Amino acid sequence: MSRTRIALAVSAAAVVLAAAACAPQPESDTGAAASGSPDCTANSPGLHKRGQLTVATDSPAYAPWFEDNTPSNGKGFESAVAYAVAGKLGFAQDQVKWVVEPFAHSYAPGAKNFDFDINQISVTPQRAQAVDFSASYYTADQAVLTLDDSGFAKATSLGALKDARIGVQVATTSYQAVLDQLKPSRQPSVFNTTNDEVNALKNGQIDAIVTDLPTVFYLAGSELDNAKIVGQFGYAGGTPEEFGLLLPKDSKFTTCVNQALGALRSDGTLAKLTSQWLSASANVPELKP
Amino acid sequence: MDLGKTAAPQRPVTSPDDTYRPSDREQERQRFRRSRKRRHTWTATLCTLVAVVALGAVAVASPGWERVDSLFLDGAELRAAFPELLRGFWLNIQMFLIAEVLILVLGLLIALVRVTRAPGLQPLRLAATVYVDVFRGVPTLLLVFLVGFGLPALRLQGTPSDPWVLGVIALVLSYAAYVGEVLRAGLNSVHPAQRNAARALGLGERQTLRHVVLPQAVRNVLPPLLNDFIALQKDTALVAVLGPLEALRAAQIKADYDFNYTPYLGAALLFIAVTIPLTRFADRLQKRAAQRTWAETGR
């Protein structure tokens, strides 16, 4: 029976080793002084890296939110908003560092490598259980895009789109919006990127794309030359869709970012940036059920 | 030997007669073996339990366990996602079953072409070799993209536009190359004497292939064939990039909508539920094949 004993000893040793290897990491205490107001300066200990603001977004970063897939150029709505927030917090242009954060990874548990993530992320109560959200910086409506020669180009109501083959992008709230509002007779197709959606539309694999209005405007203007914006519809029975900045759960910086966004809203900067980068939606017909 | 008509005395071969009783020593041996087996089983069970409990304790005692628990093991989330996952998984199963049949046919064709010897068939052999080289070298995901977005873009009459059909075509193209190679190895593993013997008995070329060579070839490579099919079962998830809602995509939608990874776990469980029986089956076949070979060599 000595073999059994050896085996037992070996496995016990393995368990001990594993336990030693997996010893908990010491929690770094980045808590600001427990006074009333959080430290919102460029040297705040709550930052991912002191002295710089680390901002994340996914790659590829699409227009009209970013331009040329280069978030650091300050062009595109979300790039401009990020720099405006940074400015309000007291960071210079060159103190803002951009990192790539795939969407599906942005809500992973554990340490994050950014201060906030700006990636057209809709705020929902369910999502807020996993991460922190800032206040809203944009209110998005869903819109329907099809081709000129499509049978659905003249649709004036959501009901008229019932039999269309709809394409949406994965991880967007558009998918749920289509199911709840359009109630399509066929299952929507779900694509990884906007590019795949556009290709499927050109190939005739789907009849229409549903995504947020600014993206639809951009696609109709630059990606497709025979596109037709059918109309827009509000989501979830009238509650608009709000985009927020994503921060790590219980981040020390959430209140700071919210203060900055509040200031940008009250001094009119947000409104200015919205009209500068995102087309006016006034002339797009509203689709009713 | 045929004892049908002869009145030779029947020797009991299979059933021992009732008077047989193992000797005391034999019974002692059997008792010892039984008790040893019992003891080993208990020890194995105990060790496994201890290991599992220890690992579980390490996980649960870690400081971040609560976050992991709520993000990966959320029962309510799983229950909410499960119907969708099941519906998606049904599509995986369909794709897998259809693709499997087509792959077997195409793979066999490729293997047969590659083992021919006739000089006149050189162009065919060359084509098959190039096919295998190219389609084994290209990442499956790229093939799915090429077929899924490239074929419809050609705007040809009669190209399928259903994304899952296109995905199945891509999988068939990719896996037929693998399976073709496996079957070729099988065909080459049949001893030439078998073929000669069959021809000597007056079987034609085709009959030889059908009744002598192919059965042995397939039997020799059944385990690697099954391995390829298990891999195929998992790779049906790649078709998700073309838009159809299979299990992994359904999980991704739910996970990204609620910021919770539990649906992925549900999808993984579904895949495992199918692949594990297949894997066990492959293992059993392998064991049987090994036993058969040893029995033959020991004869």
Side-chain angles (χ1 to χ4, degrees):
Chain A
M1 285 300 89
S2 65
R3 219 184 317 168
T4 319
R5 263 200 294 277
I6 290 171
L8 269 177
V10 166
S11 50
V15 167
V16 169
L17 272 178
C22 303
Q25 302 159 352
E27 295 270 329
S28 56
D29 185 34
T30 50
S35 57
S37 65
D39 179 2
C40 291
T41 58
N43 272 320
S44 158
L47 284 168
H48 170 62
K49 255 174 109 167
R50 274 190 188 205
Q52 73 170 39
L53 186 67
T54 319
V55 187
T57 190
D58 204 344
S59 179
Y62 285 103
W65 315 102
F66 298 94
E67 301 221 330
D68 314 326
N69 198 11
T70 325
S72 54
N73 59 12
K75 292 181 178 164
F77 177 67
E78 292 198 329
S79 180
V81 167
Y83 278 109
V85 169
K88 278 276 184 259
L89 291 168
F91 291 89
Q93 284 270 25
D94 58 352
Q95 284 180 296
V96 178
K97 186 173 176 306
W98 289 86
V99 291
V100 173
E101 181 75 8
F103 178 81
H105 190 244
S106 59
Y107 55 91
K112 298 269 194 287
N113 58 353
F114 55 79
D115 291 315
F116 66 78
D117 184 2
I118 181 162
N119 188 18
Q120 307 117 62
I121 303 172
S122 308
V123 180
T124 68
Q126 176 77 37
R127 287 177 169 188
Q129 293 177 0
V131 292
D132 270 12
F133 282 115
S134 74
S136 153
Y137 61 90
Y138 181 71
T139 306
D141 257 352
Q142 301 291 330
V144 184
L145 182 76
T146 181
L147 297 177
D148 278 333
D149 50 13
S150 159
F152 297 96
K154 299 207 168 28
T156 50
S157 71
L158 291 175
L161 294 163
K162 195 171 170 52
D163 295 327
R165 290 168 302 166
I166 305 278
V168 293
Q169 200 190 334
V170 71
T172 57
T173 33
S174 307
Y175 175 72
Q176 204 57 40
V178 167
L179 289 189
D180 295 349
Q181 312 278 97
L182 269 173
K183 304 190 177 63
S185 56
R186 278 187 272 203
Q187 273 210 316
S189 285
V190 182
F191 296 97
N192 270 355
T193 63
T194 312
N195 274 352
D196 291 350
E197 278 182 300
V198 170
N199 277 326
L201 188 65
K202 284 179 179 166
N203 291 342
Q205 290 165 285
I206 52 174
D207 298 316
I209 291 176
V210 174
T211 185
D212 55 82
L213 190 56
T215 303
V216 161
F217 265 117
Y218 162 74
L219 292 179
S222 339
E223 295 278 324
L224 292 150
D225 40 18
N226 56 342
K228 167 93 169 43
I229 301 176
V230 179
Q232 58 177 324
F233 61 97
Y235 170 47
T239 39
E241 180 145 9
E242 305 281 4
F243 289 172
L245 308 176
L246 183 150
L247 296 98
K249 187 82 186 146
D250 305 325
S251 163
K252 306 266 187 304
F253 226 63
T254 310
T255 33
C256 304
V257 171
N258 280 343
Q259 282 167 5
L261 280 172
L264 290 173
R265 190 173 287 284
S266 54
D267 69 10
T269 313
L270 261 183
K272 193 169 91 353
L273 291 178
T274 308
S275 60
Q276 181 186 344
W277 294 107
L278 308 175
S279 315
S281 56
N283 51 3
V284 176
E286 187 81 33
L287 294 172
K288 289 272 180 266
Chain B
M1 55 190 219
D2 188 3
L3 299 171
K5 296 186 194 70
T6 54
Q10 291 275 344
R11 270 185 302 127
V13 185
T14 47
S15 62
D17 61 6
D18 308 332
T19 54
Y20 168 74
R21 210 179 123 275
S23 68
D24 288 350
R25 185 160 296 181
E26 175 62 19
Q27 282 180 342
E28 177 68 29
R29 278 199 208 100
Q30 283 175 359
R31 262 202 303 279
F32 173 73
R33 282 190 198 126
R34 267 201 301 271
S35 80
R36 188 179 58 179
K37 195 168 165 218
R38 235 191 343 259
R39 206 166 51 236
H40 280 189
T41 313
W42 275 109
T43 319
T45 314
L46 204 71
C47 285
T48 313
L49 268 178
V50 167
V52 168
V53 166
L55 284 174
V58 168
V60 173
S62 58
W65 170 250
E66 225 169 280
R67 298 263 303 127
V68 171
D69 183 35
S70 67
L71 270 179
F72 287 86
L73 305 169
D74 184 336
E77 188 71 29
L78 188 63
R79 271 194 297 282
F82 210 70
E84 288 288 322
L85 293 181
L86 266 182
R87 208 169 308 136
F89 194 61
W90 174 228
L91 182 62
N92 286 98
I93 300 270
Q94 282 170 301
M95 288 196 284
F96 164 66
L97 290 177
I98 294 170
E100 187 170 334
V101 175
L102 296 175
I103 286 166
L104 271 179
V105 173
L106 191 57
L108 188 58
L109 273 178
I110 291 166
L112 288 177
V113 167
R114 290 202 68 185
V115 296
T116 49
R117 292 262 179 279
L121 294 177
Q122 184 60 25
L124 262 183
R125 269 198 298 278
L126 210 60
T129 313
V130 168
Y131 174 91
V132 167
D133 284 353
V134 170
F135 283 87
R136 272 207 311 188
V138 176
T140 316
L141 185 59
L142 180 62
L143 260 184
V144 171
F145 270 122
L146 275 175
V147 175
F149 289 122
L151 264 189
L154 292 175
R155 294 275 180 185
L156 290 172
Q157 279 292 320
T159 43
S161 69
D162 256 343
W164 73 269
V165 175
L166 292 162
V168 166
I169 292 173
L171 287 179
V172 167
L173 287 176
S174 166
Y175 271 84
Y178 289 107
V179 169
E181 283 303 276
V182 168
L183 286 172
R184 184 169 72 104
L187 289 170
N188 287 339
S189 74
V190 178
H191 200 282
Q194 296 282 326
R195 196 184 297 257
N196 296 343
R199 298 307 305 272
L201 288 173
L203 294 177
E205 187 69 55
R206 198 176 299 175
Q207 287 170 308
T208 306
L209 191 67
R210 193 177 155 324
H211 296 291
V212 178
V213 180
L214 263 186
Q216 296 187 68
V218 171
R219 213 165 68 173
N220 287 346
V221 292
L222 210 46
L225 262 187
L226 278 173
N227 277 342
D228 272 347
F229 284 142
I230 290 162
L232 168 73
Q233 164 67 43
K234 289 182 306 198
D235 273 355
T236 50
L238 292 176
V239 180
V241 296
L242 302 181
L245 288 180
E246 46 71 67
L248 203 69
R249 187 58 115 194
Q252 187 186 4
I253 289 168
K254 198 90 182 78
D256 283 343
Y257 193 74
D258 290 339
F259 279 19
N260 191 308
Y261 293 99
T262 316
Y264 282 122
L265 189 80
L269 288 177
L270 285 175
F271 277 104
I272 286 176
V274 172
T275 50
I276 283 190
L278 258 178
T279 322
R280 290 292 119 242
F281 182 60
D283 278 359
R284 241 194 39 215
L285 285 179
Q286 216 151 357
K287 207 163 145 186
R288 262 189 29 203
Q291 279 170 348
R292 213 174 28 229
T293 344
W294 291 333
E296 279 165 10
T297 47
R299 222 180 267 155

